[in-house]
Amino acid sequence: MKLYTLVTGLLGCLQITKARAEEQAALRTTQDYAKNVAIVGAGAGGASAAYHLSKFAAAAGIAVNITVFERNSYVGGRSTTVNAYDDASIPVELGGSVFVKVNHILNNAVKEFNLSTEDSTPEIKVPGAALAIWNGQNFVVTFENSWWDTAKLLWKYGLAPVKTMRLMRSVVGKFLKMYEEPASPFESLTQVAQDLELLTVTAATGEQYLAENGIGGTFGADVVQASTRVNYAQNLPYIHGLETMVCMAAEDAHSVRGGNWQIFDRMIAASNATTLLETAVTEVHRLHRSKRLSLKVDSTDRADVTSLNSKSYDDVVLATPLQFSAISLGSLDVAYFNLAPKKPTPRVILTTLPEGEKPGKGREGVGSPGFFSVSLLRPVTNPNTGGQEYLYKIFSPSPPNATFLAHLLGVESLDNGSAAEISDRGITWIYRKVWDSYPYEYPRVTFEKIKLDEGLWYTGGMDSFISTMETNALMGMNVARLIVDRWLGKPEKLGRVSEFATVEQT
Ligand SMILES: Cc1cc2nc3c(=O)[nH]c(=O)nc-3n(C[C@H](O)[C@H](O)[C@H](O)COP(=O)(O)OP(=O)(O)OC[C@H]3O[C@@H](n4cnc5c(N)ncnc54)[C@H](O)[C@@H]3O)c2cc1C
């Protein structure tokens, strides 16, 4: 039902009314050149901006040349895979791994580009409970077969799980209005959040928001906090209520087979943009006495740097937000978790804090468990040896050291061992990725500007509202609509709110 409403909403945006067609005809006579737009960043925000800009411009009869600048050697940004054992048939998501049913932009793109998806938690025939939550001392809850065992939760936490899911659905319902008129397109994230009654949600911490809604007991600290830790590496007293609710919206989580980055790759291809990889933008400036903007790129390998630096653009979209965090892997040791020797360890272990331990913030937030989550992705066959092995993913605030990994995985203990040493002792493949992943989602009531200056647009403000692939893609689509509306001479909704251009990042 929601999907249908959204599709109608999107088609509505593309529909060209008679008045609009006349407006365009007039425009075409005065505009005999194509618009030039630079997009900085080829992640979800930049790719969606390119894709929607080309669609909206085509529907408005405006020619547009889009150039995407990306400092990495690949498209996808924080949505990217790495191949286990360097084998392309075993891709592993490093960043944005799953999306859900209500992520309309991503799901529509999957259909349009004929990509196939897979369940994010496929049945794997490996012994052990499906999921458990570890507080550094003991498992506070263990789910034997499925991720969300309602009967078990009700027995342990009373009505709190049901109330939380009800609350989450009501918040998601408000958020989905951001896709449709009159909220869409929005010139101010702060204003749209206020109009949709979401500012009260971002103003509270996750802990406060649950309490305000009558959700008490230990369900928040045990289960909801495990979810905010695995998704955003943050504890309930420090993450805002909206991100907390997003963490609980995990129904029907799935991913694109082979890597979610393919959505963004196809979006950019469909926009006919020129993509310049390994090309970092270092400066955006306005040409003297001009409405046009120019960029400075830093790419010693490019022969055309001078020509790129001399180009000018009607609009520039900055789709380059804030980042941080880390990952790694192994094969878990029952002794580490005080389990009986023959009991298999759970396949997914999230963490929370033991009773009485004060939740820390920032890197300290990890507390005594020492890691945010460790999950068995799947059993794999090592192409070098033909042996059956387990592929694990670990999230932690700093690179797990060799001693910690040795204990966790139950391999020979090493004093001051390096990662290279440990890989000789039972770990066949290690990949460490340091992410600047997401901002600390502290409660707040103002968000970064979308229009930084005339012709200069920013999608990254979404990160401190909700940091997901879908929401950043929504920002890309929103900015594309605002740009084309401005080209068509549509009036701005204008400054009903004072905005701040500060970016909170630690
Ligand atoms: C570990 C991790 C797990 C996550 N899990 C999920 C999940 O399961 N589901 C989900 O929906 N989201 C998840 N997220 C969040 C999601 O990945 C991000 O919110 C989303 O991908 C961000 O998209 P973006 O386009 O805004 O930014 P990015 O993907 O960061 O893209 C920005 C791009 O800009 C480029 N860039 C930056 N500066 C410059 C410059 N000066 N010049 C040129 N290029 C530049 C960068 O290289 C990058 O490619 C996760 C993130 C991380 C890190």
Side-chain angles (χ1 to χ4, degrees), residues 41 43-45 70-72 77-78 97-98 281 319 321 323 437 467 469 472:
E70 171 53 60
R71 73 176 167 202
N72 284 337
R78 274 172 283 166
S97 305
V98 299
V281 171
Q323 318 171 351
S437 50
S467 176
M469 297 180 284
N472 281 299

Side-chain angles (χ1 to χ4, degrees), residues 52-218:
H52 288 100
L53 187 59
S54 82
K55 269 199 160 179
F56 296 154
I62 299 173
V64 58
N65 293 323
I66 304 170
T67 311
V68 177
F69 294 81
E70 171 53 60
R71 73 176 167 202
N72 284 337
S73 58
Y74 59 88
V75 163
R78 274 172 283 166
S79 168
T80 190
T81 51
V82 64
N83 297 327
Y85 316 106
D86 287 332
D87 182 331
S89 69
I90 318 177
V92 183
E93 290 283 6
L94 290 178
S97 305
V98 299
F99 51 101
V100 293
K101 201 162 139 197
V102 293
N103 289 167
H104 300 309
I105 296 176
L106 301 185
N107 288 315
N108 286 345
V110 162
K111 268 193 219 138
E112 180 175 341
F113 301 131
N114 276 326
L115 297 168
S116 58
T117 56
E118 57 196 358
D119 193 329
S120 67
T121 51
E123 266 305 306
I124 39 179
K125 303 231 172 315
V126 174
L131 174 113
I133 299 175
W134 168 253
N135 71 4
Q137 294 167 1
N138 50 284
F139 286 112
V140 290
V141 59
T142 301
F143 302 105
E144 289 304 327
N145 299 316
S146 76
W147 283 72
W148 187 267
D149 181 341
T150 313
K152 181 155 202 175
L153 286 170
L154 289 179
W155 174 78
K156 185 158 177 148
Y157 299 105
L159 282 179
V162 176
K163 282 187 183 168
T164 305
M165 296 316 272
R166 209 178 288 144
L167 186 62
M168 176 276 287
R169 287 197 189 101
S170 128
V171 169
V172 168
K174 289 177 184 171
F175 160 75
L176 287 176
K177 295 195 175 138
M178 288 175 73
Y179 289 71
E180 296 165 10
E181 287 184 7
S184 168
F186 45 91
E187 286 156 8
S188 156
L189 205 42
T190 308
Q191 184 64 51
V192 77
Q194 181 167 322
D195 293 346
L196 299 179
E197 297 168 2
L198 288 172
L199 272 196
T200 49
V201 193
T202 61
T205 66
E207 193 178 46
Q208 288 163 342
Y209 192 63
L210 292 179
E212 279 165 17
N213 285 281
I215 298 161
T218 54

Side-chain angles (χ1 to χ4, degrees), residues 167-383:
L167 186 62
M168 176 276 287
R169 287 197 189 101
S170 128
V171 169
V172 168
K174 289 177 184 171
F175 160 75
L176 287 176
K177 295 195 175 138
M178 288 175 73
Y179 289 71
E180 296 165 10
E181 287 184 7
S184 168
F186 45 91
E187 286 156 8
S188 156
L189 205 42
T190 308
Q191 184 64 51
V192 77
Q194 181 167 322
D195 293 346
L196 299 179
E197 297 168 2
L198 288 172
L199 272 196
T200 49
V201 193
T202 61
T205 66
E207 193 178 46
Q208 288 163 342
Y209 192 63
L210 292 179
E212 279 165 17
N213 285 281
I215 298 161
T218 54
F219 182 69
D222 283 1
V223 178
V224 182
Q225 180 160 267
S227 184
T228 58
R229 285 165 68 89
V230 64
N231 282 299
Y232 290 105
Q234 287 158 62
N235 288 319
L236 270 189
Y238 296 104
I239 188 167
H240 64 61
L242 185 59
E243 282 289 29
T244 304
M245 290 295 105
V246 167
C247 292
M248 298 310 291
E251 285 165 311
D252 300 310
H254 51 276
S255 50
V256 173
R257 194 163 282 137
N260 295 323
W261 60 270
Q262 294 169 97
I263 296 180
F264 309 119
D265 187 59
R266 301 292 197 287
M267 278 182 160
I268 293 181
S271 76
N272 283 324
T274 304
T275 310
L276 305 177
L277 297 178
E278 295 182 313
T279 307
V281 171
T282 55
E283 197 180 306
V284 182
H285 56 265
R286 190 170 298 286
L287 293 177
H288 186 55
R289 293 192 179 174
S290 166
K291 283 191 165 172
R292 298 179 70 79
L293 295 157
S294 191
L295 307 177
K296 245 194 198 156
V297 304
D298 173 24
S299 177
T300 42
D301 296 341
R302 296 198 71 93
D304 56 352
V305 168
T306 317
S307 113
L308 286 177
N309 285 342
S310 63
K311 278 186 88 172
S312 69
Y313 302 90
D314 296 277
D315 290 86
V316 173
V317 179
L318 299 179
T320 66
L322 336 154
Q323 318 171 351
F324 113 119
S325 211
I327 65 163
S328 277
L329 58 125
S331 120
L332 303 188
D333 186 17
V334 288
Y336 185 89
F337 296 103
N338 315 323
L339 290 171
K342 289 217 171 110
K343 186 145 172 86
T345 45
R347 298 191 289 269
V348 175
I349 298 179
L350 313 184
T351 64
T352 187
L353 301 172
E355 212 178 325
E357 182 170 326
K358 198 166 172 271
K361 64 176 177 177
R363 267 168 199 270
E364 305 309 317
V366 72
S368 58
F371 61 97
F372 290 112
S373 65
V374 48
S375 21
L376 172 60
L377 299 183
R378 54 189 181 263
V380 284
T381 306
N382 184 328

